[in-house]
């Protein structure tokens, strides 16, 4: 029996090697997608340790004193800090359950490139890294700064034409409404 989808909205990842410009592209795409009427959530996987809370602040001190979960709230923002009992890589499917998807139209994912879910591959020839799409059948398009030099049936986008990439994503979201999300494979 299939389990319920933890986030029944389109999920779209950006897969690329470090230095390709995933975050830069997302920073440019998000305002365009928001202007197109999409309510967005973003999950970013970091391979290094990041401390969101500030040493010396009350929330940090409470967490370090042993509170496994601290919810910090202001009039404009809230953040839930959760300390895991043991260090492990984050699980995308679990992270999706942390989002209130009823408030979203699309979840963009930076990272988790080895998982099978719809992704746009970003490729810069100057980095001299291999293409991901031949080994990753979940890549639905390739955005490159200078073409990929390989034949493929996948849509090819200009990495420097952010409005065209935004249009592709809006079309993807429109098509999604008639197709069931399948995050259960994650």
């Amino acid at each position: 029996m299939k389990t319920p989808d933890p986030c029944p909205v389109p999920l779209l990842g950006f897969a690329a090697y470090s230095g390709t410009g995933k975050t830069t592209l997302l920073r440019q795409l998000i305002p365009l997608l928001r202007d197109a009427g999409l309510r967005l959530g973003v999950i970013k996987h970091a391979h290094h340790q990041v401390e969101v809370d500030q040493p010396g602040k009350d929330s940090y001190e409470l967490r370090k004193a042993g509170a496994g979960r601290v919810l910090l709230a202001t009039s404009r923002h809230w953040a839930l800090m959760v300390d895991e009992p043991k260090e492990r890589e984050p699980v995308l499917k679990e992270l999706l359950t942390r989002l209130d998807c009823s408030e979203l139209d699309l979840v963009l994912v930076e990272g988790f490139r080895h998982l099978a879910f719809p992704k746009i591959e970003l490729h810069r020839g100057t980095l001299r890294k291999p293409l991901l799409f031949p080994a990753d059948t979940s890549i639905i398009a390739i955005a490159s700064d200078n073409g990929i030099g390989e034949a493929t049936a996948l849509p090819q986008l200009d990495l420097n034409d952010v409005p065209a990439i935004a249009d592709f994503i809006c079309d993807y979201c429109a098509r999604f409404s008639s197709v069931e999300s399948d995050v259960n494979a994650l």
Side-chain angles (χ1 to χ4, degrees):
M1 178 179 199
K2 196 171 186 179
T3 58
D5 196 335
C7 192
V9 298
L11 179 67
L12 183 61
F14 292 84
Y17 292 96
S18 180
T20 305
K22 296 181 297 289
T23 302
T24 299
L25 177 62
L26 282 169
R27 279 194 356 247
Q28 296 169 338
L29 276 172
I30 288 170
L32 297 176
L33 296 171
R34 189 190 62 239
D35 289 349
L38 294 175
R39 299 170 301 164
L40 305 169
V42 176
I43 294 177
K44 178 177 176 32
H45 180 250
H47 291 282
H48 52 281
Q49 294 302 314
V50 176
E51 181 61 62
V52 178
D53 212 356
Q54 301 278 331
K57 296 293 183 183
D58 292 345
S59 53
Y60 178 90
E61 298 302 328
L62 295 169
R63 193 167 49 89
K64 290 302 178 186
R69 293 172 187 252
V70 175
L71 194 142
L72 173 63
T74 71
S75 61
R76 295 194 53 192
H77 309 282
W78 67 270
L80 176 63
M81 274 110 14
V82 178
D83 283 341
E84 295 288 346
K86 57 185 172 187
E87 190 171 319
R88 67 179 175 100
E89 281 298 309
V91 176
L92 181 55
K93 190 172 180 177
E94 290 175 11
L95 296 174
L96 287 167
T97 66
R98 308 280 196 268
L99 295 177
D100 181 359
C101 291
S102 69
E103 300 286 327
L104 302 175
D105 299 309
L106 172 65
V107 176
L108 301 173
V109 179
E110 182 180 338
F112 297 99
R113 80 170 180 233
H114 299 296
L115 295 180
F117 68 99
K119 296 181 284 281
I120 296 174
E121 177 177 354
L122 307 185
H123 183 77
R124 291 191 186 278
T126 56
L127 293 179
R128 299 189 186 278
K129 297 286 188 181
L131 289 159
L132 301 171
F133 83 89
D136 186 344
T137 58
S138 61
I139 290 176
I140 62 168
I142 302 166
S144 174
D145 60 345
N146 200 18
I148 61 168
E150 250 183 74
T152 178
L154 293 173
Q156 294 188 45
L157 309 166
D158 181 346
L159 188 52
N160 299 311
D161 189 351
V162 180
I165 297 171
D167 288 343
F168 178 86
I169 293 170
C170 288
D171 289 344
Y172 170 77
C173 288
R175 287 190 315 270
F176 181 88
S177 62
S178 63
V179 178
E180 182 183 338
S181 169
D182 189 11
V183 205
N184 294 306
L186 296 176

